[in-house]
Amino acid sequence: MSIVAVISTPEKGGNTEAVVNAIAESAKANGKDVQTFYLNPMANKKGCQACFACKAKGKCVQKDDLTPVLDAIRDAEGIILSTPVYFGEACGQYRMLEDRFFGFLDGSFQLNMPAGKKVAVVVAAGSAGADVLANKIEGVMTGFFKCQSIGKITFNTSNAKTFAAENADIMAQAAEIGKKF
């Protein structure tokens, strides 16, 4: 099984990255292939342009640094999505990618890729909002894209960069989710 891990935080070595990597390592230990994408360093990326060409072509027609991420998600059997909370919402890097998921829906807004992909969601907040945002992302993935949620991890860090990596409970949750892929 192939799994796509998306790390959208601009903070290298931060909390969501630590948790995504722990999920990925657990999945790899179970024989899964994991491809990880770091969105922040991608210099050539755009959000959805509302051109609706995806409705005729069956996928997003933009060609930029997000294209391989979208192609990998389309082909994957599992997805790990992560974001920090910024003012109650996902960070801009994540939102740009998620808007491009519009290409996974055809002209009648039906899914144009295989349903049933497993999805895990990781959301970190400095103080509040992680649960609400994770539920929102999970709802988008299960509702629009017919994914099967295998778990979500949310936590408040008080802006401590290594909070997740040093939290045995969070790392144990990550390992358990990785086994479900």
Side-chain angles (χ1 to χ4, degrees), residues 60-73:
C60 182
V61 299
Q62 287 190 79
K63 301 295 180 213
D64 64 6
D65 290 345
L66 291 176
T67 302
V69 182
L70 296 167
D71 290 344
I73 289 171

Side-chain angles (χ1 to χ4, degrees), residues 15-73:
N15 286 295
T16 56
E17 181 180 356
V19 176
V20 169
N21 286 339
I23 295 170
E25 288 306 314
S26 177
K28 287 177 189 177
N30 281 333
K32 310 300 188 254
D33 294 321
V34 180
Q35 185 175 13
T36 302
F37 291 96
Y38 291 83
L39 300 184
N40 194 57
M42 294 178 178
N44 178 29
K45 60 184 179 285
K46 292 190 259 180
C48 178
Q49 299 299 297
C51 67
F52 282 79
C54 59
K55 305 308 165 224
K57 300 288 184 182
K59 67 182 217 171
C60 182
V61 299
Q62 287 190 79
K63 301 295 180 213
D64 64 6
D65 290 345
L66 291 176
T67 302
V69 182
L70 296 167
D71 290 344
I73 289 171

Side-chain angles (χ1 to χ4, degrees), residues 1-180:
M1 173 188 279
S2 64
I3 299 165
V4 172
V6 176
I7 298 172
S8 61
T9 181
E11 182 179 38
K12 189 76 173 137
N15 286 295
T16 56
E17 181 180 356
V19 176
V20 169
N21 286 339
I23 295 170
E25 288 306 314
S26 177
K28 287 177 189 177
N30 281 333
K32 310 300 188 254
D33 294 321
V34 180
Q35 185 175 13
T36 302
F37 291 96
Y38 291 83
L39 300 184
N40 194 57
M42 294 178 178
N44 178 29
K45 60 184 179 285
K46 292 190 259 180
C48 178
Q49 299 299 297
C51 67
F52 282 79
C54 59
K55 305 308 165 224
K57 300 288 184 182
K59 67 182 217 171
C60 182
V61 299
Q62 287 190 79
K63 301 295 180 213
D64 64 6
D65 290 345
L66 291 176
T67 302
V69 182
L70 296 167
D71 290 344
I73 289 171
R74 181 178 293 281
D75 294 338
E77 295 178 55
I79 311 161
I80 306 166
L81 298 173
S82 70
T83 182
V85 176
Y86 286 3
F87 300 104
E89 295 296 333
C91 68
Q93 294 84 340
Y94 178 81
R95 286 292 306 131
M96 196 174 293
L97 175 68
E98 186 182 69
D99 283 352
R100 296 277 292 277
F101 290 178
F102 189 55
F104 296 147
L105 302 171
D106 67 17
S108 60
F109 292 88
Q110 299 300 308
L111 189 63
N112 67 12
M113 67 176 182
K117 295 177 187 294
K118 294 180 178 182
V119 66
V121 177
V122 177
V123 178
S127 61
D131 292 334
V132 171
L133 182 55
N135 289 340
K136 183 178 177 182
I137 293 169
E138 181 183 60
V140 166
M141 297 309 293
T142 59
F144 285 102
F145 306 112
K146 309 302 180 216
C147 291
Q148 172 195 353
S149 177
I150 60 169
K152 58 188 171 213
I153 298 175
T154 63
F155 49 95
N156 295 327
T157 67
S158 299
N159 294 318
K161 185 175 182 172
T162 59
F163 176 85
E166 295 171 354
N167 186 303
D169 289 338
I170 292 172
M171 290 295 114
Q173 289 176 49
E176 286 304 310
I177 289 174
K179 292 175 185 175
K180 295 179 183 179

